[in-house]
Structure formats: C-alpha cells, structure tokens
Amino acid sequence: MRISSLPSLGAPPLWLRMVLQGLYPLFGIVMSLVLLLITPFLLLLWPWDRHLSILRCLFLTVYVMWEDIGLVVECWYLRLRSPRGTSPTWDEDHFALIKQALHNVLFTAKRVVGFHVEIEGELTVGRPGHPLVVISRHAGPADSLAIAWLLASTAGRVPRVILADAMLWDPGIAMVLQRVGSYFVPSRSGAGDDRTKGVADLAATLSAKDALLIFPEGRNWTRDRHEDQVRDLRAKGEADRLATAVARPWVLEARSRGVAAIREHAPDADVLVIAHTGLDMISGPAAVIRNVPFRNRLLIRGRTYRSEDVPTDPDEVADWLEARWGEVNYWVDNRISGRDHL
C-alpha cells in the first residue's frame, strides 16, 4: 500500500474506478505469474547484483499489490454485510483493515529490503479527548506509509489523510480511505473551487479518535525540487522567500492555507509536527534499487503542541508554520551532518 503524491495525474472517473476494482485481482495474478517466470533470470544476475536488489524490489511490489487487493476484497465483504454502511462496527472494521495492512507491509518491507523505522525520543500523540492534526515533512520512499503506520499501530488513531486525487487510481487505497473519511485533493487543472474547502470540511468532522495527516509541502522533497524552487523564486524576484529557501535546503516551502483551514474548523485538535530523515536522497525507482537493502533507518522525531498553543488566525498560522518548518530543517540538517541534537 502506498500513500504519496502523484501531481501530474488526475483522478479517474467513477466508472473506471469500478472497472479497476473488478480487474485488480486478475491483474495481481498476472503480475505474480510474471514474477515467477522472470525470477530464475534475475537470480542469474547475482554476479552483478549481489544483493538481488531487483528481485527484492519486484517481490515487495507484488506483495504490496496483494495487500492492496486484500483491501478491495475486504471492503467488498464489509459492503455486503452492511450495504448502507450503517453497521455499528463500520468504522472499527475499516480501521482494523488499515492497521493490519500497514503492519503487514512494514513487517515485510523490513525483512525484504531493510526498510525500518526508528523514533527519536518519545513520540506523544495528543491528549485523550482531542483530535490530532499531524503536519509532516515529505521526503524519501514510503515516509507517508510509515507515518500512517505509526498513527494507526502506535497511537491507535484512525489516520484520515489529505492526498492527491491521483491516488484514486489505486483501488485499495481509494476504497478504504474514502470510507474512513479522507480527502483527495483535486488536481489544479480540475479544481475550479477553492482547494482548501474539502480540507476544511474534513477537519470539521474530526472525532477524538482521529488523526488528520497533511504534508504542507504538497510534494516529496528532493534536492532537484529544492533547487528548482530556488531558481523559480530567484527568477520571480521574491527576495525574502528566496533567502528563506536558500537557508532551508532540507525542506520545500510549506503552504499554510490547508493548515489554516484545519485550525479554523478543528480548533480543539492537538498538533503533531513530524520531521524525519535517513532516506532523503533516495528518489525514483533506480535509486531505490541501488540502495536495497537499506542500510539507514527512517528516523522520525515528533513534537506535539496543545490545541490552545497553536493559533487559528490564518496569518498567525502562516507565521507559526514557518517557525516550525525552520525547526524541521534545522533538525534534519543536524542529523545529516552528524551534529549534536537540538
């Protein structure tokens, strides 16, 4: 299961999503057979691929696909049990699906490609009786997956995610996240209305058991994207923003409108700000294969703020987020350069 940004691809129409759901198990069978057929040839590459990185990545890809197919089948089953979605255990059943799938994928990824998560210090996840808003840096492979796993398995909270509508192409992710109440942000080309309206509507429905996950950068950090951002700001003559971007090489600009909408409509939610590092430089399939098995862990640090300590005025939210993003960049820089802790 994957949760990430696919900004260049819009959402499929509803009829196509239904077709994809129906064909998904058949596609999984075909891909599994293909993997079985090419495995002997991949084993012959051992003199050049001593870690069998290609085979490991392909195996994990097919495994994740079957976990995703499992979500589709389980969602079908739950719909048959409760056609109108009125079962008293409807929410709990879908949360259990998410929690188990995330656990299975992280467990398998650790053993197959060495992907593992480590938490620095104590990770607090808000106070009982308060919803939680999670604001995270976005960088490296599967960071969003790991954070969702932490929220579901460690914190026991239902992850409600703000993600690109291109993820509606993924049948399992689309079905289960739509049912627990997530928001698929429409692509810019198709977003005639305010893109923050859906975020605000989602925030207004948060319950005490929920954790709303948002990546204010809007896309995965890479060195190339940061350099592109600096070039664009220089070309536009945005001196202040340029100076900030240059001083923060490990993050992209954080957009505050979504966070401000959440604060306005969920003012009682505690806020967890997450920084992480370890797999930052790995972007794209080729880079992933070159680095398998992963020798670095995904190191996560979280700091939680009480709801009353976080502003709700949009301008104040923007300033508050800027300050937090400076801290995130500083923490990442210290971990990468090996300097002392904050």
Side-chain angles (χ1 to χ4, degrees), residues 18 28 41 61 138 150 260:
M18 301 295 291
F41 300 98
T61 299
H138 202 7
L150 283 174

Side-chain angles (χ1 to χ4, degrees), residues 326-338:
E327 294 168 359
V328 168
N329 177 83
Y330 182 70
W331 181 88
V332 173
D333 184 64
N334 273 286
R335 297 308 170 276
I336 290 178
S337 61

Side-chain angles (χ1 to χ4, degrees), residues 148-324:
W149 169 74
L150 283 174
L151 296 175
S153 298
T154 304
R157 288 184 177 265
V158 179
R160 301 178 70 181
V161 189
I162 298 171
L163 66 171
D165 66 351
M167 288 308 300
L168 290 169
W169 285 92
D170 185 316
I173 290 291
M175 289 184 74
V176 75
L177 287 186
Q178 281 182 316
R179 291 190 186 182
V180 298
S182 291
Y183 178 54
F184 295 81
V185 183
S187 60
R188 292 189 182 279
S189 60
D193 297 328
D194 187 350
R195 286 155 56 92
T196 63
K197 183 180 183 303
V199 176
D201 292 343
L202 174 56
T205 67
L206 291 180
S207 69
K209 68 179 184 299
D210 293 333
L212 177 56
L213 174 58
I214 184 171
F215 299 94
E217 292 162 304
R219 52 182 179 161
N220 219 32
W221 176 95
T222 66
R223 189 181 293 277
D224 288 342
R225 283 177 176 168
H226 182 268
E227 291 174 354
D228 289 343
Q229 175 183 279
V230 169
R231 280 193 296 269
D232 289 344
L233 292 174
R234 183 174 289 117
K236 293 176 181 177
E238 297 271 6
D240 292 341
R241 291 171 62 196
L242 173 62
T244 299
V246 170
R248 298 176 181 176
W250 301 111
V251 294
L252 301 176
E253 279 190 312
R255 304 164 185 171
S256 65
R257 291 181 65 197
V259 177
I262 294 170
R263 290 298 302 143
E264 179 184 355
H265 291 84
D268 61 330
D270 291 338
V271 180
L272 170 62
V273 179
I274 287 184
H276 61 79
T277 186
L279 304 177
D280 318 70
M281 301 303 178
I282 304 174
S283 61
V288 171
I289 291 172
R290 286 195 303 270
N291 284 275
V292 167
F294 296 124
R295 292 171 179 81
N296 292 338
R297 80 288 199 219
L298 182 69
L299 180 64
I300 294 177
R301 175 271 232 172
R303 181 176 179 182
T304 302
Y305 299 83
R306 297 181 304 173
S307 57
E308 55 266 31
D309 296 331
V310 182
T312 55
D313 176 78
D315 291 335
E316 293 179 1
V317 169
D319 292 339
W320 181 88
L321 184 60
E322 273 295 295
R324 304 292 77 76

Side-chain angles (χ1 to χ4, degrees), residues 23-282:
L23 294 179
Y24 205 14
L26 177 61
F27 182 70
I29 293 172
V30 172
M31 293 304 297
S32 299
L33 292 175
V34 170
L35 179 61
L36 286 175
L37 289 173
I38 66 175
T39 293
F41 300 98
L42 295 176
L43 291 173
L44 292 176
L45 295 176
W46 179 80
W48 299 274
D49 183 12
R50 291 300 182 95
H51 296 294
L52 296 176
S53 301
I54 299 175
L55 181 58
R56 290 177 189 231
C57 289
L58 289 176
F59 174 83
L60 184 61
T61 299
V62 173
Y63 175 83
V64 171
M65 182 187 305
W66 278 107
E67 283 290 340
D68 207 46
I69 292 170
L71 288 178
V72 172
V73 174
E74 291 285 353
C75 283
W76 285 343
Y77 172 70
L78 292 175
R79 180 62 73 184
L80 287 174
R81 283 179 50 190
S82 179
R84 296 185 179 181
T86 55
S87 165
T89 61
W90 180 262
D91 291 339
E92 290 78 4
D93 290 340
H94 286 86
F95 174 54
L97 291 183
I98 295 172
K99 186 176 178 179
Q100 188 61 53
L102 289 170
H103 172 78
N104 292 345
V105 169
L106 268 293
F107 179 88
T108 305
K110 182 175 182 179
R111 280 146 186 79
V112 175
V113 299
F115 181 90
H116 61 288
V117 178
E118 181 179 326
I119 301 172
E120 179 182 279
E122 182 181 1
L123 182 67
T124 58
V125 290
R127 295 168 293 178
H130 289 256
L132 183 68
V133 173
V134 183
I135 303 172
S136 178
R137 180 188 187 225
H138 202 7
D143 64 332
S144 48
L145 179 69
I147 294 167
W149 169 74
L150 283 174
L151 296 175
S153 298
T154 304
R157 288 184 177 265
V158 179
R160 301 178 70 181
V161 189
I162 298 171
L163 66 171
D165 66 351
M167 288 308 300
L168 290 169
W169 285 92
D170 185 316
I173 290 291
M175 289 184 74
V176 75
L177 287 186
Q178 281 182 316
R179 291 190 186 182
V180 298
S182 291
Y183 178 54
F184 295 81
V185 183
S187 60
R188 292 189 182 279
S189 60
D193 297 328
D194 187 350
R195 286 155 56 92
T196 63
K197 183 180 183 303
V199 176
D201 292 343
L202 174 56
T205 67
L206 291 180
S207 69
K209 68 179 184 299
D210 293 333
L212 177 56
L213 174 58
I214 184 171
F215 299 94
E217 292 162 304
R219 52 182 179 161
N220 219 32
W221 176 95
T222 66
R223 189 181 293 277
D224 288 342
R225 283 177 176 168
H226 182 268
E227 291 174 354
D228 289 343
Q229 175 183 279
V230 169
R231 280 193 296 269
D232 289 344
L233 292 174
R234 183 174 289 117
K236 293 176 181 177
E238 297 271 6
D240 292 341
R241 291 171 62 196
L242 173 62
T244 299
V246 170
R248 298 176 181 176
W250 301 111
V251 294
L252 301 176
E253 279 190 312
R255 304 164 185 171
S256 65
R257 291 181 65 197
V259 177
I262 294 170
R263 290 298 302 143
E264 179 184 355
H265 291 84
D268 61 330
D270 291 338
V271 180
L272 170 62
V273 179
I274 287 184
H276 61 79
T277 186
L279 304 177
D280 318 70
M281 301 303 178
I282 304 174

